[in-house]
Amino acid sequence: MSFNDFIDSQKIIYELKKDVEESDYPYDCKTLYYQEGVPTRQTDIPFVRLLQGKEPISNMKRRYKLYKKNWSRQLSVINEILANTDREKFEELGRFLYEHNEEGDDDRCELMPCWHLPCGLVNLGSNISNHRRLLNQVYDFLVMSDGQSNGQTVVSRLNTAVCSSISACLKTISFDIIGSFGKSINQKLPDLEDLILQLSKKQQRLVVLIEDADSLPTSTLTQLLKTLWHCSTVSHNVYVVIGISTPLIIFQEKIPRLVLNFLRTRHFRIDNSNEAIGQIMGNLLLNINDTYNSLIFEPRLILYFLQRKSDIGISQFYDYMKLIYMNHYFSQPLSILWTDDFSGIDLTDDYFDVFKRLPSVRAVNDHTTDHQENDDCQRFLHDVATENETGIGWFLRLNLNKLINWRFNLKNLIDFLNFMQTSFYDLKLWRTNLDLFQLIFENYDYENVHNNVANFDFLKPIYLNMKNIELSVFNSFLDTIQSDQQFDFLFQKGDNAADTYFQSLKHAESHKEVEKFNRYLNEKLIHQLVELNLDHQPFKEICCAGLQVTGLLQTAFNPPVRDITIGALLDSKSYLLNSAHSDLSQLDRQGDDVQLYKLFEPSMIEMFRIYREAGVMINIYDFYKVFRSGLSDKKRLCQLMLNKLEVKRQRTKEDNVNMDTLQGIIEGDSEKEWDKLTLSWFLKGLVELELAGMIKEGRNSENVEKLVWKDV
C-alpha cells in the first residue's frame, strides 16, 4: 500500500440512507403540517381558530373581545395606581428650577457673585428596569411644567446611546432648539449661545435632561456643565436636570469642585417604584374584589412574582401580565366560558371532547378523597360520552361557581385576619394583603392539604394578646364576627369538633375559653385553606394561570436561542410552509412545494443532519461529498425547482438565468453545472451554520470545527 493510499483509507466516510423509498413516503397532512390553531381570512382580528381550525368564528371573536375588555380593565387599574403614586412627585423639582431666589443664590458664592446654574439631581433608584418610565415622566413634567402645552419649555434629552462626546451633546441641544423654532438646517449650526438668546427673546427656557449621567464620561459631563453655565450667565433661561442611580455622595465625586461652585444643586428622590409595584401586584395578582373580569392567579404563581418583586420593574411586570392575559385568551378555547353572559356561545361537539381531556378533570379520580366529587366526575365523563348536555351543563356550572367563590373565600380569609390584627395587635405582623398572602401560603403543603396544622403559626403573637386582653374587648370582637356575613365561613355546619364549637359559640366567660377559641379557630382557618386549593379543581383551565406560565415568560423575554435554533433545524415541518398552508384543506399534497420538501429541505437543514453525526473536527471535502450524495434524484429535484421558477417568471415577466442551468441538468448534458449548483447550496448552508453559531473555522483550511455553546 502506498502512502497516498494509506491517507485515503483514513478519511471518514459518511453514508446517508433514506428511511423509506420515495414511492413509499408516508405523507400525512396532519402529521406534517399539524397545528392547534388555524388562521382564517374571514376576519382581521389577530387570533386563530382553535380546536384544529374547527372553532366557530363567533367564539374566536368572543375570545378576542374578552381579552381586550379584561386586559383594558387591568391596564386601567395600573394607570390609576401610577397616577395616584406619581401625584405631586415632581412639584418640588419644578419649584426648585423655576421659582428660585436669586438673592439666596448670590449668598452662596460671595467671592464670585454670578448666576448659578439650577441643577436638579434626580435619583432614579437602583432598579434599572424602572429608569425609562421615570425618565419619561420627568420629561413629560418638564414639557408641561407650566400646566399647559404652549411651547414655553424646550427640553433636550441627552443619553450615552447617542451623546457620548461633548460635540454630540451640543449638536443635539442645538438641533432641539432649532426644531422648536420650526426651522430646518441647511448650513452650519448657529452658535449655542446665540440660540439660547433667541429662546430668551421668545420668553422660552431650555432644560437639558441628562438621563444617564453615571454612564457619561467625566470629561464630557464636566465640559457640558461648564458650557451650559456659561450660556446661562448670558441669559437666565437655562436649567439642568441630571438622572443618577448611584448614591449622591458617590456621584458628587465625579464632578470637580470648581464646577460644583457654578451650580445650584438639590437632590430629589423620585423613585417610588417599590410602592407602586406593590400596589399593582396586590390589585392584579389577588383581584379579591373581582369576578369574571380578571384571571385567577394560582397561589404558587403569586409567590413566584413576590419572590422576584425587588428585581421586577413596573414596565416589566406590565409586560408579564399582558403576555399572560394574551396567551390565555389566545390559546385557551374554554376561556369564552369565563363570563356571566353565555348567550351567543356556540358549544359544538369539539368542546365536549375538550371537556373529557382536560387535565384538571382527569386528575379528580387520581387525587380526590371525597367520594361525592369522584362520583360527580364519573357522572360527568359518562354524560360527555353520551352527549348528555343537561348533565354536562350541571357539572360545568357547579365548578364555575366554585371558581367564582374562590375569590370570595380568599377575600373573606384575608379580611378576617386583617380584622384580627387590627383588634388585638398594635404592631404590624403584615402591612399589605400581599404580605399576608405570602405568610399564609409560603409553607403550604399542596400534597397533603390536611397536614398544614402549623401554617398559621405566624398568628401566635395575636393569639397571645387575645388571651391576655380584657374579656369585654374579646366579646365585642365575637359580636362583630357573628353579625358580619362575610365571616360566615367560620360558622358553617359540619361534623367535626370545630364546626360544632363555632355553631354554639357565645360570649367568653374566662380566658380559658379564649384559649379554646384560638385552638378551634386554627382548625377553621386550615379548613379554609383546603377550600382554596386549586390543584385538583375541575375546569380551572377556563380562568386560572398557574406556575406553568413562567416557562412562557422565560422563553418570551429571555428565549433559549440555542434550543430554539436546534429545534427548528430538527423539526422543519413545524416551520416550513406554515404561513402559506395553514389551512390544511387548501394544501395540495401533490404540489411542487410538498414534493420539493420531500426531496430536499433547505440546505442548512440537510447539512445540520450530517453535522450532528460528525466529530468535533469536520473535513470540508468529506462534508460536501456526503451532502452531495444525499441529493440522489437530481433530475426530479431540478424539474420541481424549474416548475417553481416558471410560475415566478409568468408572474413577474422576468427571465431567470438559472432556468437554463436547471434544464441542462435535467437533460443530462451538464454534470459540471450540477456540481456548481450543489456546491453553491453547500457553501450557503455552511455560512448559515456558521452564522447560527454551530461551526467555526478549523485550525487549518481543510476542516471546520463544531462550536459548543456553554451556559446559554
Side-chain angles (χ1 to χ4, degrees):
M1 178 184 293
S2 67
F3 179 75
N4 290 335
D5 291 337
F6 172 76
I7 293 298
D8 290 338
S9 69
Q10 301 306 306
K11 289 184 177 180
I12 301 174
I13 303 299
Y14 302 88
E15 182 179 0
L16 293 182
K17 294 183 178 179
K18 294 183 179 296
D19 294 333
V20 292
E21 294 298 326
E22 178 61 27
S23 58
D24 299 327
Y25 191 86
Y27 177 72
D28 180 358
C29 183
K30 289 188 176 181
T31 301
L32 192 59
Y33 297 105
Y34 169 81
Q35 56 182 11
E36 175 67 20
V38 175
T40 175
R41 297 180 179 87
Q42 301 181 33
T43 177
D44 57 352
I45 66 175
F47 272 27
V48 296
R49 296 179 68 181
L50 300 179
L51 307 178
Q52 302 179 31
K54 299 177 182 178
E55 179 187 33
I57 292 182
S58 60
N59 289 354
M60 179 187 71
K61 292 180 177 179
R62 191 182 187 92
R63 284 191 292 113
Y64 183 63
K65 182 179 179 181
L66 286 173
Y67 159 69
K68 292 187 66 176
K69 169 192 169 187
N70 293 340
W71 173 245
S72 65
R73 289 177 63 91
Q74 307 314 310
L75 183 58
S76 66
V77 171
I78 295 175
N79 291 333
E80 182 179 355
I81 292 173
L82 291 178
N84 291 333
T85 56
D86 294 339
R87 189 172 297 162
E88 301 179 355
K89 185 170 59 177
F90 300 111
E91 288 189 1
E92 187 179 357
L93 174 63
R95 287 193 296 268
F96 167 73
L97 290 177
Y98 308 135
E99 301 175 12
H100 57 275
N101 187 323
E102 294 189 15
E103 294 181 0
D105 186 51
D106 290 339
D107 291 340
R108 183 179 168 191
C109 188
E110 297 178 358
L111 299 179
M112 189 177 180
C114 61
W115 173 264
H116 284 69
L117 178 64
C119 179
L121 301 175
V122 177
N123 195 309
L124 304 173
S126 58
N127 194 336
I128 299 176
S129 60
N130 287 316
H131 288 187
R132 179 53 48 192
R133 181 186 69 87
L134 291 172
L135 288 169
N136 287 337
Q137 288 181 327
V138 172
Y139 174 79
D140 293 339
F141 166 77
L142 294 173
V143 171
M144 304 290 292
S145 56
D146 55 357
Q148 54 185 339
S149 181
N150 55 13
Q152 284 191 354
T153 303
V154 176
V155 182
S156 182
R157 304 179 72 168
L158 307 180
N159 59 72
T160 53
V162 293
C163 302
S164 58
S165 65
I166 183 63
S167 60
C169 292
L170 296 181
K171 282 183 180 179
T172 300
I173 296 172
S174 299
F175 275 119
D176 289 336
I177 296 175
I178 294 173
S180 70
F181 296 157
K183 299 179 179 179
S184 59
I185 298 296
N186 298 320
Q187 54 187 357
K188 185 178 179 180
L189 276 173
D191 185 72
L192 179 60
E193 187 175 317
D194 294 337
L195 291 173
I196 291 176
L197 283 174
Q198 293 183 49
L199 275 179
S200 181
K201 292 178 182 179
K202 293 176 175 289
Q203 295 184 341
Q204 292 179 304
R205 56 197 175 209
L206 170 67
V207 180
V208 178
L209 174 58
I210 306 173
E211 298 187 338
D212 52 350
D214 297 292
S215 303
L216 202 65
T218 301
S219 58
T220 302
L221 180 61
T222 301
Q223 293 178 51
L224 177 61
L225 292 175
K226 285 182 179 180
T227 303
L228 292 174
W229 170 77
H230 177 74
C231 294
S232 70
T233 60
V234 179
S235 176
H236 298 176
N237 65 333
V238 181
Y239 308 86
V240 179
V241 177
I242 299 178
I244 61 175
S245 56
T246 56
L248 179 61
I249 190 172
I250 296 178
F251 178 77
Q252 284 180 329
E253 296 299 323
K254 186 174 183 176
I255 305 177
R257 292 292 177 184
L258 180 61
V259 177
L260 284 175
N261 287 335
F262 298 153
L263 306 177
R264 183 171 61 88
T265 61
R266 185 179 299 177
H267 185 231
F268 299 90
R269 295 186 178 275
I270 66 167
D271 180 25
N272 62 345
S273 301
N274 289 336
E275 174 189 355
I277 194 70
Q279 292 186 34
I280 292 172
M281 281 189 171
N283 279 270
L284 265 66
L285 294 180
L286 295 184
N287 270 312
I288 55 179
N289 295 314
D290 222 335
T291 50
Y292 305 102
N293 300 312
S294 60
L295 300 180
I296 293 176
F297 289 84
E298 297 186 25
R300 277 172 288 199
L301 181 59
I302 297 176
L303 292 178
Y304 167 81
F305 281 114
L306 292 182
Q307 291 164 0
R308 298 195 55 201
K309 179 181 175 182
S310 59
D311 302 325
I312 298 179
I314 293 175
S315 299
Q316 187 178 9
F317 182 74
Y318 163 88
D319 292 338
Y320 283 166
M321 292 297 103
K322 185 174 184 179
L323 182 61
I324 290 174
Y325 271 78
M326 185 185 302
N327 175 72
H328 181 80
Y329 286 101
F330 183 87
S331 60
Q332 178 51 260
L334 299 185
S335 58
I336 57 174
L337 299 175
W338 190 234
T339 177
D340 56 352
D341 180 15
F342 285 84
S343 62
I345 296 181
D346 187 3
L347 288 181
T348 61
D349 293 341
D350 298 287
Y351 285 95
F352 298 151
D353 186 52
V354 173
F355 291 156
K356 181 172 58 179
R357 293 185 290 109
L358 278 179
S360 61
V361 173
R362 297 201 309 265
V364 172
N365 293 331
D366 300 330
H367 298 93
T368 185
T369 57
D370 190 314
H371 295 294
Q372 184 61 47
E373 284 186 3
N374 205 330
D375 292 343
D376 290 342
C377 185
Q378 290 297 327
R379 174 184 168 188
F380 168 75
L381 293 176
H382 179 267
D383 290 336
V384 170
T386 59
E387 298 185 3
N388 180 3
E389 295 187 9
T390 302
I392 294 172
W394 172 82
F395 191 69
L396 180 60
R397 286 191 298 272
L398 173 68
N399 287 283
L400 276 176
N401 288 333
K402 289 183 179 179
L403 288 167
I404 294 170
N405 290 332
W406 188 88
R407 277 209 182 96
F408 292 118
N409 293 336
L410 177 62
K411 175 179 171 58
N412 294 341
L413 176 62
I414 288 177
D415 287 349
F416 175 74
L417 295 179
N418 282 329
F419 181 55
M420 277 184 60
Q421 179 174 247
T422 303
S423 301
F424 300 110
Y425 207 71
D426 295 333
L427 302 177
K428 294 289 185 181
L429 294 176
W430 61 86
R431 294 188 176 276
T432 66
N433 287 342
L434 274 182
D435 296 337
L436 176 56
F437 185 92
Q438 189 167 10
L439 289 172
I440 294 173
F441 285 97
E442 61 184 350
N443 298 314
Y444 186 67
D445 186 353
Y446 290 90
E447 298 300 324
N448 300 291
V449 293
H450 296 281
N451 293 341
N452 291 288
V453 177
N455 210 68
F456 289 94
D457 281 353
F458 66 90
L459 294 176
K460 284 183 177 180
I462 297 179
Y463 287 155
L464 181 61
N465 278 8
M466 289 173 67
K467 289 188 292 185
N468 295 326
I469 206 168
E470 295 181 6
L471 289 177
S472 59
V473 176
F474 178 78
N475 286 330
S476 176
F477 168 78
L478 289 183
D479 290 338
T480 302
I481 64 173
Q482 289 173 337
S483 60
D484 194 330
Q485 292 183 350
Q486 187 177 6
F487 304 142
D488 282 350
F489 71 93
L490 296 171
F491 306 96
Q492 292 175 349
K493 294 182 179 180
D495 300 328
N496 57 43
D499 292 331
T500 303
Y501 170 79
F502 273 94
Q503 290 169 33
S504 60
L505 182 63
K506 304 295 182 182
H507 281 183
E509 301 294 337
S510 67
H511 285 90
K512 287 186 177 181
E513 293 187 18
V514 176
E515 187 173 353
K516 183 179 180 181
F517 171 85
N518 292 344
R519 185 172 66 254
Y520 283 122
L521 174 61
N522 202 67
E523 292 184 27
K524 294 295 293 186
L525 296 178
I526 293 170
H527 177 74
Q528 188 74 351
L529 276 187
V530 176
E531 296 294 321
L532 292 173
N533 181 26
L534 285 168
D535 275 12
H536 313 305
Q537 169 63 45
F539 295 102
K540 71 174 183 177
E541 292 86 354
I542 290 175
C543 59
C544 292
L547 200 58
Q548 69 275 7
V549 303
T550 57
L552 170 68
L553 301 179
Q554 181 70 21
T555 55
F557 297 101
N558 300 287
V561 181
R562 176 77 167 189
D563 292 342
I564 293 174
T565 303
I566 292 177
L569 292 171
L570 290 176
D571 190 22
S572 61
K573 64 186 178 184
S574 298
Y575 295 84
L576 296 179
L577 306 179
N578 265 356
S579 60
H581 301 295
S582 297
D583 189 349
L584 301 181
S585 63
Q586 301 297 318
L587 183 61
D588 182 6
R589 301 188 179 191
Q590 303 302 321
D592 292 337
D593 284 337
V594 174
Q595 298 302 317
L596 187 59
Y597 173 80
K598 296 177 184 178
L599 280 178
F600 179 52
E601 296 182 61
S603 54
M604 181 183 180
I605 297 174
E606 299 281 0
M607 291 177 63
F608 180 71
R609 295 194 179 101
I610 308 171
Y611 159 91
R612 292 181 68 220
E613 303 299 327
V616 176
M617 303 298 297
I618 309 174
N619 183 277
I620 296 179
Y621 178 76
D622 293 342
F623 202 174
Y624 169 65
K625 293 296 288 184
V626 176
F627 170 76
R628 187 180 183 280
S629 67
L631 308 176
S632 56
D633 197 346
K634 64 180 181 181
K635 291 187 177 182
R636 188 179 179 197
L637 177 60
C638 291
Q639 184 62 57
L640 290 170
M641 297 180 67
L642 189 63
N643 295 345
K644 291 176 66 65
L645 287 176
E646 179 63 27
V647 173
K648 182 178 179 181
R649 188 184 68 81
Q650 294 176 1
R651 185 173 67 250
T652 62
K653 306 300 182 183
E654 295 179 1
D655 292 329
N656 194 311
V657 295
N658 292 326
M659 296 182 69
D660 295 334
T661 301
L662 293 171
Q663 188 64 46
I665 296 173
I666 294 171
E667 295 174 357
D669 56 359
S670 186
E671 187 67 23
K672 186 176 180 180
E673 293 299 327
W674 173 246
D675 288 338
K676 290 181 180 179
L677 187 59
T678 55
L679 181 60
S680 67
W681 291 339
F682 173 79
L683 293 176
K684 177 178 179 291
L686 198 67
V687 172
E688 289 175 336
L689 284 177
E690 183 177 9
L691 293 175
M694 300 295 174
I695 59 174
K696 64 179 180 179
E697 293 183 6
R699 296 175 185 144
N700 56 62
S701 59
E702 297 178 358
N703 297 324
V704 291
E705 183 179 346
K706 283 188 176 180
L707 183 61
V708 179
W709 293 6
K710 295 182 178 179
D711 302 326
V712 176

